[in-house]
Amino acid sequence: MDVFAPTGNLHAGAIWPEVVVTLTLLLVLAVDLVGGSAARRSLPTLSLLGLMGALVPLVLQWQQPQLESFLGSFAADPVSILFRSLVVVTAALTVMMAERYLSQAGTPTGEFYVLLLTATLGGMFLAGAMDLIMVFVSLETLSIASYLMAGYTKRDPRSSEAALKYLLTGASSTAIFLYGMSLLYGLSGGQTQLSAIAPHLANAGLAGILALVFCLGGIGFKLAAVPFHQWTPDVYEGSPTPVVAFLSVGSKAAGFALAIRFLATVFPAMTEEWRAVLSVLAILTMVLGNVVAIAQTRLKRLLAYSSIGQAGFVLIGLVAGTEAGYASLIFYLMVYLAMNLGAFLCVTLFSLKTGTDEINEYSGLYQKDPFLTLCLSICLLSLGGLPPLAGFFGKLYLFWAGWQAGEYTLVLVGLVTSVISIYYYVRVVKTMVVKEPQEMSLSVQNYAETDWQAEGMPALRVGMVLTLVATIFAGILSNPLFTLSVQAVERSPFLGFPTAQAFAPEAASPAALPSYSGRNS
């Protein structure tokens, strides 16, 4: 029997993208082990080509998705395809960011790309996992590779500290999540497929509530939602910047994919309960993330708390539970990929040239590096939600979906904290564009001219240009991306929505917007 045939029991064609990433991983490992120094210099190119190659079967799957494979343990539905694509693109931009970083740091490159591809593989499988065993193995593949990457620069004590904290908190959250899954396994009479567990929870009582609480604890850690956020600031500050960039988008996208599929498939009988819990978590996450970010003096640490706050905004779409809510969540993660990775690309370049990420050291950067200033300013202002950038439309869709679903408190808190976030983003931009020479920081005064021909610099520049263009035009041309998100939600059976007219808040009058007051039950 051809296991790749769509008529077979395995439907292994559904994992062609993961097969491409796996082959790339093995090729990179082989070249690193047996190749010479010249061959090792091709590792970033090989990794990038493999990741781009994985996008080809993902695009083809969009045309004819194979909804279930491996006897129902993996789904290649449209929502899975979009989330897997997000993880792959994040990894590709991380490779562009890491080539120069690793070269200047003097650390081995082969192991890093192997770990990055392994984490990517775990995130891709997690986005489509439909079985408890598949969920756990995928989650651990992503997590263990992330722990190792966080401590990759072993000679830097901050990196070792970050890896240790990440490992300890991650292991604790995994244990909590695993205990929740063991309760689900027992309550369902030994079922492991998510869809088979749900019918047994209708009358589970207190045991079902406990399983829900433990599972939400594990998922909350992956999303960096308060109070499961403690690892984020220290890990972001101490880890290599390319690793932080991947964790902030790729790992978070996989976490939201897990949250949507797990909660919608396993706990439909407890919909009101998990929405109530997530509403509280969303409010705490938005408030703490955006308020504490004001006091930060390092840009990586500021972006860590910003990432926490952004997770709170995205949770609004998950709590809404409507077609528009899920579509808004996916759309916001698309634009978040561009603007957040763009910011980290700029931070990487500045830290490589100055050795610091102190916000005060950016003073007067405009006079020495206008291109870097422009890229970082656009990405930060987009994260703040200023029009007409991508972040503004992302928040518009999220807030409108929440309002239509009756989540008025969440939307109001989101609006207030979004205004607060603009303050600390604009503060960084203001620091960079001071015009008086005497206000220029010492790092900027000694700022050397950028050599774009050096090893890894062309890829870094391409990444900056791509994210800058995407941040600007993803807002102006937001309707096609949002339509794509709506189609994914409509065509994914596990969400249970009938095919409906696309939600598009593009009219000037709220009365012209379609009403989505129904909830997924």
Side-chain angles (χ1 to χ4, degrees):
M1 181 185 67
D2 185 0
V3 297
F4 290 97
T7 56
N9 290 329
L10 294 182
H11 297 188
I15 63 163
W16 268 120
E18 288 77 9
V19 170
V20 173
V21 174
T22 303
L23 293 176
T24 305
L25 188 158
L26 295 175
L27 178 61
V28 169
L29 183 60
V31 171
D32 182 55
L33 289 175
V34 302
S37 57
R40 291 192 184 98
R41 284 196 289 270
S42 67
L43 294 181
T45 304
L46 290 176
S47 302
L48 196 58
L49 290 175
L51 290 167
M52 292 297 99
L55 289 176
V56 175
L58 284 170
V59 172
L60 296 177
Q61 282 184 2
W62 181 264
Q63 306 299 326
Q64 293 180 336
Q66 298 167 348
L67 298 181
E68 288 188 359
S69 60
F70 294 95
L71 306 178
S73 63
F74 184 80
D77 51 47
V79 165
S80 162
I81 292 169
L82 287 187
F83 275 109
R84 290 150 74 200
S85 300
L86 285 173
V87 175
V88 169
V89 173
T90 302
L93 287 170
T94 303
V95 170
M96 294 181 180
M97 197 185 311
E99 183 179 359
R100 180 61 187 173
Y101 187 95
L102 297 174
S103 173
Q104 189 161 319
T107 55
T109 59
E111 295 94 328
F112 179 84
Y113 295 118
V114 169
L115 290 172
L116 178 62
L117 291 169
T118 303
T120 303
L121 197 61
M124 294 174 72
F125 275 116
L126 189 61
M130 292 287 290
D131 183 275
L132 291 179
I133 299 173
M134 176 74 81
V135 167
F136 182 72
V137 173
S138 304
L139 184 62
E140 285 304 283
T141 302
L142 172 60
S143 298
I144 293 174
S146 300
Y147 304 151
L148 293 172
M149 287 194 296
Y152 195 72
T153 51
K154 295 178 290 186
R155 288 172 290 185
D156 185 353
R158 294 184 306 167
S159 180
S160 300
E161 180 185 354
L164 182 59
K165 290 180 179 178
Y166 195 15
L167 172 63
L168 292 176
T169 55
S172 301
S173 72
T174 299
I176 292 171
F177 188 48
L178 186 59
Y179 187 70
M181 289 197 293
S182 69
L183 286 175
L184 293 177
Y185 180 79
L187 290 171
S188 62
Q191 297 291 335
T192 59
Q193 288 198 7
L194 304 187
S195 57
I197 295 172
H200 298 275
L201 299 182
N203 300 308
L206 180 60
I209 297 294
L210 284 175
L212 173 63
V213 170
F214 283 122
C215 290
L216 284 176
I219 293 171
F221 172 84
K222 215 64 194 167
L223 305 182
V226 176
F228 311 102
H229 70 287
Q230 295 94 336
W231 63 274
T232 309
D234 293 331
V235 172
Y236 276 43
E237 183 178 12
S239 300
T241 308
V243 176
V244 177
F246 179 79
L247 294 178
S248 69
V249 181
S251 180
K252 188 162 292 186
F256 273 106
L258 171 64
I260 292 175
R261 191 176 301 275
F262 205 88
L263 295 175
T265 306
V266 179
F267 296 104
M270 302 180 186
T271 299
E272 293 304 320
E273 287 83 354
W274 64 255
R275 282 189 179 132
V277 174
L278 288 182
S279 296
V280 175
L281 296 186
I283 292 172
L284 294 175
T285 303
M286 287 186 285
V287 172
L288 185 140
N290 289 294
V291 170
V292 178
I294 297 175
Q296 302 309 309
T297 58
R298 291 179 175 272
L299 191 51
K300 282 174 69 175
R301 201 169 179 89
L302 181 146
L303 288 173
Y305 282 103
S306 162
S307 176
I308 294 170
Q310 299 289 339
F313 296 138
V314 181
L315 280 172
I316 295 176
L318 185 57
V319 172
T322 60
E323 180 182 346
Y326 290 128
S328 302
L329 183 156
I330 296 171
F331 172 76
Y332 193 81
L333 288 175
M334 288 181 184
V335 299
Y336 180 68
L337 183 155
M339 55 194 182
N340 203 56
L341 285 179
F344 275 110
L345 282 159
C346 297
V347 172
T348 300
L349 178 58
F350 184 82
S351 62
L352 287 175
K353 299 187 70 174
T354 63
T356 181
D357 68 330
E358 290 281 349
I359 295 175
N360 290 337
E361 294 301 317
Y362 284 77
S363 296
L365 182 61
Y366 171 75
Q367 300 178 51
K368 289 295 186 75
D369 198 336
F371 174 63
L372 175 57
T373 305
L374 174 66
C375 289
L376 185 53
S377 298
I378 292 296
C379 291
L380 291 178
L381 294 176
S382 181
L383 285 168
L386 292 183
L389 301 174
F392 168 77
F393 290 95
K395 290 182 180 178
L396 173 66
Y397 285 118
L398 277 173
F399 293 160
W400 187 255
W403 192 267
Q404 291 292 85
E407 303 294 342
Y408 306 121
T409 303
L410 278 180
V411 174
L412 292 175
V413 173
L415 288 169
V416 172
T417 53
S418 185
V419 172
I420 293 173
S421 73
I422 293 174
Y423 167 76
Y424 60 78
Y425 290 128
V426 170
R427 176 166 63 96
V428 178
V429 176
K430 180 184 176 183
T431 301
M432 292 189 291
V433 299
V434 295
K435 297 182 180 179
E436 299 299 328
Q438 62 270 23
E439 297 180 272
M440 198 180 296
S441 69
L442 184 61
S443 296
V444 173
Q445 291 176 23
N446 299 325
Y447 198 82
E449 185 177 353
T450 305
D451 180 12
W452 292 111
Q453 303 305 315
E455 182 182 0
M457 293 302 288
L460 192 63
R461 178 166 60 174
V462 170
M464 292 173 66
V465 171
L466 288 176
T467 52
L468 175 64
V469 171
T471 301
I472 295 173
F473 289 100
I476 299 172
L477 305 174
S478 61
N479 197 54
L481 285 177
F482 190 78
T483 301
L484 194 70
S485 302
V486 171
Q487 291 175 353
V489 172
E490 289 177 350
R491 294 168 54 198
S492 296
F494 76 94
L495 291 175
F497 293 113
T499 302
Q501 184 179 357
F503 166 90
E506 56 190 6
S509 170
L513 300 177
S515 175
Y516 280 84
S517 56
R519 291 179 178 270
N520 178 29
S521 58

